[in-house]
Amino acid sequence: MSEAARSGGEATAQPTLVSGDVTLRPWRLGDESTIGLSRDSPVLSRMQEAIRRWHQGYADARSIVSYLVVRTSDPVPLGTCQVRDSGDDVGEVTWTTYAPYRRKGYATDALLTLCRYAFDELGMVRLETYLAVDDRPSQRVAARSGFVREGLLRGKRSDGDRRRDLLLYARLVSDPVPVLRLPTRRRAR
């Protein structure tokens, strides 16, 4: 965590992060409609409450930093990413890429941007992500973003009435920054 956050310094607004064709911007009330939730959706109020929680989490010593990922050239929502402070300068990273934008490099670009922010601005020294054993696309995104597979965590999470195994991937602030050649993205006309 940064010195300002540790010392209880004055709260600042959550920044927007721009990296090439990907922009990570703080969630705003109203974004729920940009991700396809209608006013009569039963999920709408839960999503609005989540956005309020994320704002409060950022205000509370940046314990949660959650972003809507959009294309820089136009405001098309591509997905989400988030880092939660786990304590001891460790953050848990999660992300989602919306179906039409998968396998185009957006998730890797967003995750690299989030990692840079978590290390440089939040003062984290280790980032972790927990991935389903059969989620090969997310495992590739993690690896391309500099995360190293550290092991299998048996029964890590509850999934209804059973426990699920998850893979632990981690990246340290001292790890080399990955050099990537991201795919060329074609624009829909």
Side-chain angles (χ1 to χ4, degrees):
M1 185 175 307
S2 72
E3 287 306 312
R6 284 177 214 231
S7 66
E10 193 172 310
T12 59
Q14 182 178 334
T16 295
L17 310 175
V18 180
S19 177
D21 200 28
V22 171
T23 296
L24 283 60
R25 70 165 178 76
W27 283 88
R28 302 185 286 243
L29 286 173
D31 282 339
E32 56 279 0
S33 64
T34 68
I35 61 169
L37 295 178
S38 65
R39 287 184 171 206
D40 58 347
S41 170
V43 180
L44 181 67
S45 63
R46 288 196 313 253
M47 184 65 189
Q48 290 169 336
E49 181 53 37
I51 292 170
R52 287 184 190 96
R53 260 193 337 271
W54 297 331
H55 288 179
Q56 189 59 51
Y58 186 83
D60 292 341
R62 301 183 211 174
S63 61
I64 302 171
V65 183
S66 189
Y67 285 105
L68 179 64
V69 180
V70 299
R71 209 166 22 210
T72 301
S73 56
D74 53 23
V76 172
L78 306 170
T80 68
C81 63
Q82 180 178 97
V83 61
R84 290 177 172 269
D85 187 339
S86 301
D88 200 23
D89 297 325
V90 176
E92 182 179 344
V93 176
T94 58
W95 68 92
T96 301
T97 307
Y98 301 141
Y101 307 105
R102 293 180 183 146
R103 301 187 62 143
K104 297 180 183 344
Y106 291 119
T108 302
D109 205 6
L111 188 54
L112 284 167
T113 302
L114 183 66
C115 289
R116 186 171 49 249
Y117 176 74
F119 290 141
D120 295 349
E121 299 300 323
L122 301 179
M124 294 184 175
V125 297
R126 178 181 168 88
L127 298 174
E128 299 175 341
T129 190
Y130 301 92
L131 303 173
V133 173
D134 60 349
D135 187 355
R136 300 269 189 248
S138 291
Q139 293 169 33
R140 284 191 294 274
V141 168
R144 287 185 188 122
S145 301
F147 285 75
V148 175
R149 181 177 163 172
E150 292 189 341
L152 174 69
L153 302 173
R154 297 177 303 135
K156 173 68 176 166
R157 294 243 165 91
S158 174
D159 188 13
D161 58 350
R162 67 183 187 94
R163 304 292 300 180
R164 283 186 339 159
D165 296 344
L166 295 177
L167 296 172
L168 169 61
Y169 281 74
R171 181 172 166 196
L172 302 177
V173 68
S174 58
D175 287 343
V177 177
V179 177
L180 298 178
R181 185 171 160 218
L182 295 173
T184 303
R185 298 175 184 114
R186 289 193 204 140
R187 283 209 108 123
R189 294 181 187 200

